[in-house]
Amino acid sequence: GCISPRSIVVGEDFGYWVDENGIYCSPDGGQTINKISWDIDPTFAALNKSRLHLCCGETLRDKRQIVWSFSDTTSNYHNKFLVYNYGLSTPMTPSNQGGRHVWSVYTGINIMSLAEVLSSGEYQVWGGESNSATGGFVYQIDEGTSDAGTAISWKLKTKRFLLGESWSVYSILRKL
């Protein structure tokens, strides 16, 4: 079942939620339930289970993504975002048993609450900081390339692709 009502998010035609064993979706109001977090099970297992009920999620409509905020096992504050890109993913269906799921994991983001705001005809997602000792600020999510002037580093690691005659793993590391 759903671990937190704040984890329930709608992304286009699917409903998504967090359970104690992973993240799930349903394309038909709950008649069919698919686990979509298989690819990030080790990351999900490393979350602070005693704080899992405090997780929250929201849709980034223009990016066709859903973001959930969690605490990992070393933190009493939310410090990890799991981002599901439903625009690039194909959930398991009766005709597509494998499915394909595209995830991003971000750390060091101290957001305890998320809300979608319609401002000047544009949807924005705002997040409230969970650590009042650092200011308790409200931020607009997914805006800009720096965090208070410090460039945001990111890494993209893809699955293995057959290139020529041998297997290779490629990673992209870029500092903006």
Side-chain angles (χ1 to χ4, degrees):
C2 180
I3 196 82
S4 166
R6 297 182 334 144
S7 78
I8 301 170
V9 181
V10 175
E12 291 184 6
D13 296 334
F14 287 74
Y16 300 85
W17 66 94
V18 176
D19 175 90
E20 64 186 16
N21 299 309
I23 301 176
Y24 295 82
C25 78
S26 176
D28 54 15
Q31 294 180 27
T32 304
I33 297 174
N34 301 315
K35 183 175 180 180
I36 60 170
S37 59
W38 293 108
D39 296 332
I40 58 164
D41 272 353
T43 301
F44 193 85
L47 298 175
N48 186 336
K49 299 300 187 212
S50 68
R51 294 180 52 83
L52 201 57
H53 68 284
L54 298 172
C55 74
C56 59
E58 193 55 76
T59 305
L60 299 172
R61 290 177 192 244
D62 60 333
K63 302 236 184 244
R64 299 183 74 204
Q65 297 175 339
I66 298 173
V67 58
W68 285 276
S69 179
F70 296 96
S71 303
D72 67 23
T73 54
T74 63
S75 180
N76 288 324
Y77 298 104
H78 282 202
N79 62 349
K80 186 166 285 191
F81 268 9
L82 301 182
V83 180
Y84 180 64
N85 190 323
Y86 63 85
L88 296 177
S89 300
T90 54
M92 187 175 71
T93 63
S95 61
N96 178 12
Q97 289 299 310
R100 179 187 67 160
H101 307 287
V102 179
W103 288 93
S104 301
V105 179
Y106 299 92
T107 58
I109 301 172
N110 235 347
I111 299 295
M112 183 71 172
S113 60
L114 293 163
E116 184 177 58
V117 177
L118 182 60
S119 175
S120 301
E122 178 182 315
Y123 286 102
Q124 301 172 354
V125 175
W126 292 0
E129 194 173 49
S130 63
N131 185 352
S132 60
T134 61
F137 296 108
V138 174
Y139 299 96
Q140 185 175 347
I141 305 299
D142 199 37
E143 281 296 313
T145 59
S146 71
D147 180 12
T150 302
I152 299 170
S153 295
W154 59 274
K155 182 177 181 179
L156 171 67
K157 186 171 182 177
T158 67
K159 68 177 184 173
R160 292 179 180 223
F161 291 96
L162 183 58
L163 301 172
E165 296 183 14
S166 63
W167 285 98
S168 301
V169 176
Y170 290 90
S171 295
I172 299 169
L173 182 59
R174 178 178 176 200
K175 195 167 193 173
L176 301 174

